Amino acid sequence: SRPSDLPAICNLAAVTADAPCAGFANGRDRILLFGDSHAAALRDALAVFAETGDVSVASAVSGGCVSLLQATIFLEDAVLRERCITLKSQLKRFIAGEDPAAAALLFSRWPNYGTGRDYRLGPAAATVPATDQEAIFASELAATIRTLQERGVRRILIIGAVPLFKRAAPNCRLLADRNGMDAAQACGIDAIDAEPARLLTNTRMEKAMPGLA
C-alpha cells in the first residue's frame, strides 16, 4: 500500500487540520521527514521501519521543496511552488504542536538549491531571489535547525548529497541482467563524477554549521 495509507505514517501534504497529525503517534516516538522528491523516495523505507519499530513518521515531502523551513524557493512550476508553500504551512503547524518529533530527517537534492543554477532561494516572503545564494542557503539551513531544536526536536539528521544516476537503478539493473551486461558499468556512475556534488554540499553545510566534521 502507499506509505501515506499506513497507520504509522501521517502525510502532512494530505491533511488540512489546524493541528495536522496530532495524536496519530499514539504514544510512539515521532520522526519527521522533510524534503523534496529525494525524501519522498526514502519514505517507503521509513514506512516499513515505522511498522516494525515503535515509531511513527510525519511525512513532509514535495517535489522541489528543499528542507529549509522559512526560505522562499523560486520554482518555475507553479503547481510545485504552491504545493511547497502549503506543505511548509502545515509543517509549521505540526512542529508548533505540544508533542514534538523525537527526531527529524532533512533530505533534499542539495546541489539543486541556492547555487544560482537551478532553484534559487530567498528569505521568507521574498519576491526576488537573494543576491548571495551561498549566504541565504547557509542562513536558512541554520535557521531551520535552530527552529526544530527550539521546538523540542532532540535529534536532527541531515542526509547529504547522494549520487544522481542517469537511469532509474532498478530498471537499468533489470535490463543489464537481461542483456548480459555488467550492471555496475551500465547503471553506475564513477565516483569522480559524483564527488563534486558531495564536496559542494559538505562545504555549504559547514557554513551553516561551523565545526561540522
Side-chain angles (χ1 to χ4, degrees), residues 101-186:
L105 275 67
L106 308 183
F107 187 24
S108 297
R109 179 63 184 165
W110 302 108
N112 281 6
Y113 304 93
T115 60
R117 295 191 301 269
D118 294 299
Y119 302 148
R120 292 178 295 169
L121 305 172
T127 56
V128 295
T131 302
D132 189 335
Q133 287 291 295
E134 291 290 325
I136 192 67
F137 178 90
S139 65
E140 291 295 337
L141 179 57
T144 296
I145 294 170
R146 186 166 56 250
T147 298
L148 291 172
Q149 290 174 331
E150 290 172 351
R151 294 298 184 182
V153 178
R154 298 192 295 273
R155 299 184 67 183
I156 300 171
L157 173 64
I158 300 176
I159 302 176
V162 297
L164 185 63
F165 297 99
K166 295 179 180 178
R167 305 176 184 87
N171 293 342
C172 185
R173 178 61 186 267
L174 179 61
L175 291 173
D177 289 345
R178 284 180 177 176
N179 291 283
M181 302 170 63
D182 184 321
Q185 291 295 325

Side-chain angles (χ1 to χ4, degrees), residues 178-200:
R178 284 180 177 176
N179 291 283
M181 302 170 63
D182 184 321
Q185 291 295 325
C187 306
I189 61 172
D190 290 334
I192 194 171
D193 293 328
E195 190 68 359
R198 187 188 71 82
L199 291 177
L200 171 65

